[in-house]
Amino acid sequence: MISCRRFGSAQAVAAVFSLAWLGAAAVAAQQPDSSTVIRGVDAAVKARLDGISAYTVTEHYAVYRNNDEAHPVAEMTVKTDYRGDSGKNYTILSQSGSEIVRKLVLGAILDNEKRINLPGIREGSWLTSANYEMKLHPGGTQRLDGRDCLVLGLSPKRKAPNLIEGTIWVDARDYSIVQIQGIASKSPSIFTGPAQVMRQYANVSGFAMATHARAVSNSHMFGETIVTIDYRDYQIRLRPAK
């Protein structure tokens, strides 16, 4: 004869497993499917490009060598002026440190940013499904910078220094970019390997705008080089509502 106590224990165990299954089913039901998220990311990027006609931002660049992030070997502060019809222009506000590093590293970064933001070229750098294969990671949302985020794997459809093989975090509500992290799919130079890249974004005037970036590269000739960029004082001009 089965005791009431044992029967009661069996019921309790069954109830726990039932609750666990229901909880797992609820999480699965809350996570949108991959195609929905990818369309949302594409729409958020397009809304930013369609919504902003111009902006200015102050950017501070710092270059560190060989794991010493306490003493930059070169620094530069620039004012960036972006216009949708012409791209980016830079005004140097201040600079210090090695002139060679400023020219070879920071000068090269600014020149590349100007080039890839020209109309007709910048489309190839957008974080959209036109340039990337995207795959939604399972497991629901992750908390990042106080925001609930969905996580997607990124694989570029072609190799380029400005395209990242890695991971993107997007806001679970509006699919705007919160963070991207990975490795450049191609090295910009024969002297260095592909850079490890991270960029963080915040909501500014309703759109995802970069707030901090970090890139780490290595070469046999120069060793490890770290570049950080901090963005502040955005002034955004929106397009008139249609």
Side-chain angles (χ1 to χ4, degrees):
M1 180 177 181
I2 300 174
S3 69
C4 291
R5 180 178 299 176
R6 184 178 299 178
F7 182 72
S9 299
Q11 283 186 316
V13 171
V16 168
F17 277 107
S18 296
L19 289 172
W21 182 87
L22 286 171
V27 170
Q30 290 172 1
Q31 177 160 312
D33 63 89
S34 188
S35 60
T36 298
V37 176
I38 293 169
R39 288 196 300 269
V41 173
D42 286 350
V45 172
K46 186 177 186 302
R48 177 185 183 276
L49 296 165
D50 290 345
I52 296 176
S53 65
Y55 69 80
T56 61
V57 60
T58 300
E59 302 176 1
H60 178 260
Y61 293 76
V63 183
Y64 304 91
R65 299 293 307 281
N66 300 319
N67 293 316
D68 182 5
E69 294 191 53
H71 306 93
V73 297
E75 293 182 89
M76 183 183 291
T77 301
V78 304
K79 182 178 181 180
T80 300
D81 185 358
Y82 168 85
R83 297 178 183 276
D85 58 357
S86 59
K88 284 185 176 181
N89 284 297
Y90 297 93
T91 301
I92 297 176
L93 303 179
S94 66
Q95 54 186 329
S96 61
S98 168
E99 183 178 355
I100 294 176
V101 173
R102 294 201 311 266
K103 180 179 180 180
L104 295 181
V105 179
L106 299 182
I109 291 173
L110 296 181
D111 287 344
N112 184 61
E113 281 291 307
K114 288 184 69 173
R115 182 186 64 81
I116 67 174
N117 278 281
L118 291 172
I121 296 178
R122 59 179 170 232
E123 293 84 354
S125 299
W126 292 350
L127 284 162
T128 64
S129 60
N131 297 314
Y132 287 93
E133 297 290 346
M134 300 183 183
K135 184 176 181 181
L136 181 65
H137 288 192
T141 61
Q142 292 184 14
R143 195 75 174 168
L144 185 64
D145 293 335
R147 301 162 73 180
D148 289 326
C149 298
L150 296 166
V151 187
L152 298 97
L154 289 179
S155 182
K157 294 182 176 180
R158 69 183 189 284
K159 293 186 180 297
N162 53 306
L163 295 179
I164 307 302
E165 182 92 34
T167 307
I168 185 174
W169 288 259
V170 300
D171 192 295
R173 298 175 302 169
D174 60 11
Y175 305 116
S176 61
I177 302 169
V178 177
Q179 181 171 296
I180 180 173
Q181 185 171 330
I183 300 176
S185 61
K186 183 180 179 180
S187 173
S189 168
I190 61 173
F191 300 108
T192 65
Q196 300 176 38
V197 179
M198 184 275 294
R199 182 175 288 126
Q200 297 169 320
Y201 296 79
N203 187 305
V204 181
S205 298
F207 300 103
M209 307 297 289
T211 56
H212 178 73
R214 173 187 172 91
V216 182
S217 62
N218 287 274
S219 73
H220 295 298
M221 185 179 298
F222 301 109
E224 184 181 75
T225 300
I226 299 172
V227 179
T228 63
I229 313 170
D230 289 294
Y231 307 79
R232 58 181 175 83
D233 299 333
Y234 277 101
Q235 302 294 322
I236 294 177
R237 186 186 309 157
L238 302 179
R239 298 185 191 276
K242 295 182 180 180

